[in-house]
Amino acid sequence: FCGNDPDIIVTAAKMAEDYCDAIDLNLGCPQMIAKRGHYGAFLQDEWDLLEKIVRKCHKELKVPITCKIRVFESVDKTVQYAQMLERAGCQLLTVHGRTREMKGRLTGLADWKVIKAVKDAVRIPVFANGNIQYLSDVKRCMEETGVDGVMTAEGNLHNPALFAGVNPPIWQMCEEYLDFAEKYPCQLSYIRGHVFKILHHGLHLHPDIRDMVGVARSVECLRKAVLLIKERGLAEMDKEDFDSCGGLFGRLPLPYWYCQPYVRPSPEEEEDNRKKRDILTRLAVIEELVNVEGLSKNKVKKRLRNPNKDFTGKKKIKFDICTSDTCNNPRGQKCNHNLCKSCCRRKTSVEVVDCEGHKIHFTTHPELLKRQMADRVMGDIAPCDNRTCDTSEDTDSASLLADNIDTYEHNEGGFSRASQKDKGWWA
């Protein structure tokens, strides 16, 4: 959970406490959305508020309250921060060994020494977070810091099999992930983001596949991109002279087709990498397509975003115009009266006719049946159950019969009982 209002956090936590083993308070998010919302790592200077939140959760919830924090520049202040949360009732503390400012290009390495200082100063269990790229890092971190457990985030994004201690082919992980994505649907942007992470190193070497992933509009489109990089990877495995570890921005620990961590470059390295990326990848592809296909650079860029883009000059499909004299809207392709939906609705309501194309059924509307029923009664028409209507009776009989039309339907020979589901209604 995240937030800055003790009452709201406790209320939300109570909705979940019967379905989980603990409630975790995220005090480590450094993103701009957390700054705008006033939560996450941007509460780490408001100790009174945090103590109140944690204490209230500890007192009123049936499950433990745990916290995740980022460190300060000062080791002593970080230790005091952790001790304050412990006194307030925090039952488990996760320490991310980076400061609030260490994100994006300024991420750098997490400081395990600060984590060790926190572990030595508190009595509750402590988990470490940061610099976990391989399974071997887990063991090394626990040995150096003495923590009770390890949490990892970005390492798992590039290699979901990190805790299994293996580095499977990137396409294998993507195929397995897309199977789960179809079984448990979510927004396509989330799925695309995870595919980008898993294929990260391969997409640098195959920019056309990166563009395919970027413009994918369905899971099936993503599967096609994964299949293409799989075909190329398998083909390059058989090439003896292919430099499989030669990443675009430096040497990779493993061939690019294996899941492996992404080490963020420094700001200076990032600027150099950007220039390489522009020269060796997208710009090179654009120049090649300009020469081969004879298109302008703008059209080539559109083609890269949408491979099915057509520049042959074919005109768009023209739709027939509504036949009403006062309307210029396109007519419905299946309209019985060659009208747009608005004009069709007006025509069918005035003339009391149906339109199958727009699914307008006025002739079966209950109000119309009421009027027809009343007209038949007033016209001395016998119902189908062989009872006769006496026209000498006053019009109250007709009104009464019309009011009960909800249980009848109109047939050729008279009226018969009708179920609710058989009655027509407006389109």
Side-chain angles (χ1 to χ4, degrees), residues 117-329:
V118 171
K119 173 58 183 175
D120 293 341
V122 299
R123 297 185 300 273
I124 59 176
V126 175
F127 282 7
N129 183 210
N131 302 350
I132 306 300
Q133 303 286 5
Y134 299 94
L135 184 60
S136 58
D137 294 331
V138 175
K139 181 179 180 181
R140 186 166 59 88
C141 178
M142 296 184 70
E143 290 176 348
E144 293 185 16
T145 62
V147 294
D148 304 280
V150 168
M151 178 185 292
T152 181
E154 197 160 271
N156 279 102
L157 295 178
H158 292 279
N159 181 15
L162 187 151
F163 283 109
V166 296
N167 300 87
I170 53 179
W171 51 79
Q172 178 183 328
M173 283 290 93
C174 278
E175 289 169 349
E176 183 176 342
Y177 170 69
L178 292 176
D179 289 340
F180 281 116
E182 288 185 326
K183 186 176 180 180
Y184 307 102
C186 64
Q187 291 187 30
L188 186 65
S189 59
Y190 301 162
I191 302 173
R192 183 189 294 112
H194 283 290
V195 172
F196 266 125
K197 290 289 187 180
I198 298 173
L199 299 181
H200 179 86
H201 297 293
L203 295 181
H204 278 312
L205 300 178
H206 298 283
D208 57 325
I209 300 179
R210 182 185 62 210
D211 291 328
M212 288 179 62
V213 176
V215 301
R217 293 294 179 267
S218 66
V219 174
E220 187 59 34
C221 293
L222 292 173
R223 285 191 183 277
K224 291 180 181 179
V226 172
L227 178 61
L228 182 56
I229 201 169
K230 177 180 181 180
E231 292 173 349
R232 293 186 185 179
L234 291 174
E236 289 166 348
M237 284 182 183
D238 298 330
K239 294 181 180 179
E240 295 182 358
D241 58 342
F242 181 74
D243 186 6
S244 60
C245 296
L248 183 62
F249 307 125
R251 302 293 298 175
L252 298 175
L254 300 170
Y256 81 84
W257 50 74
Y258 290 119
C259 290
Q260 55 193 298
Y262 166 61
V263 179
R264 291 180 180 272
S266 66
E268 295 77 14
E269 292 173 331
E270 176 62 24
E271 181 62 24
D272 293 338
N273 291 346
R274 186 188 62 78
K275 294 178 181 179
K276 290 181 182 178
R277 186 185 301 113
D278 289 343
I279 295 174
L280 300 178
T281 58
R282 192 174 183 86
L283 288 181
V285 172
I286 291 175
E287 291 294 340
E288 181 180 356
L289 290 177
V290 167
N291 296 330
V292 172
E293 300 191 14
L295 300 174
S296 67
K297 288 186 177 181
N298 285 336
K299 288 184 177 180
V300 169
K301 291 177 182 178
K302 292 179 180 179
R303 175 69 60 80
L304 290 174
R305 290 194 297 268
N306 182 5
N308 297 321
K309 186 73 174 178
D310 183 20
F311 298 108
T312 59
K314 293 181 180 179
K315 295 182 179 179
K316 295 182 179 180
I317 299 175
K318 288 187 176 181
F319 294 95
D320 296 330
I321 301 300
C322 174
T323 56
S324 174
D325 295 335
T326 59
C327 180
N328 292 321
N329 292 329

Side-chain angles (χ1 to χ4, degrees), residues 46-64:
E46 301 179 39
W47 289 16
D48 291 339
L49 174 60
L50 292 180
E51 185 175 9
K52 184 177 180 181
I53 293 174
V54 176
R55 191 176 302 279
K56 187 174 181 66
C57 289
H58 177 60
K59 181 179 179 181
E60 299 186 21
L61 297 180
K62 296 186 293 186
V63 294

Side-chain angles (χ1 to χ4, degrees), residues 40-81:
F42 296 94
L43 292 180
Q44 68 178 20
D45 295 316
E46 301 179 39
W47 289 16
D48 291 339
L49 174 60
L50 292 180
E51 185 175 9
K52 184 177 180 181
I53 293 174
V54 176
R55 191 176 302 279
K56 187 174 181 66
C57 289
H58 177 60
K59 181 179 179 181
E60 299 186 21
L61 297 180
K62 296 186 293 186
V63 294
I65 176 70
T66 66
C67 299
K68 179 188 176 186
I69 64 172
R70 285 201 168 214
V71 301
F72 290 92
E73 292 288 349
S74 167
V75 177
D76 291 338
K77 188 174 182 179
T78 303
V79 169
Q80 293 172 13
Y81 182 35

Side-chain angles (χ1 to χ4, degrees), residues 391-409:
T391 56
S392 63
E393 295 178 3
D394 56 28
T395 57
D396 290 341
S397 299
S399 299
L400 179 61
L401 193 56
D403 291 338
N404 293 329
I405 191 63
D406 287 344
T407 58
Y408 287 86
E409 68 175 354

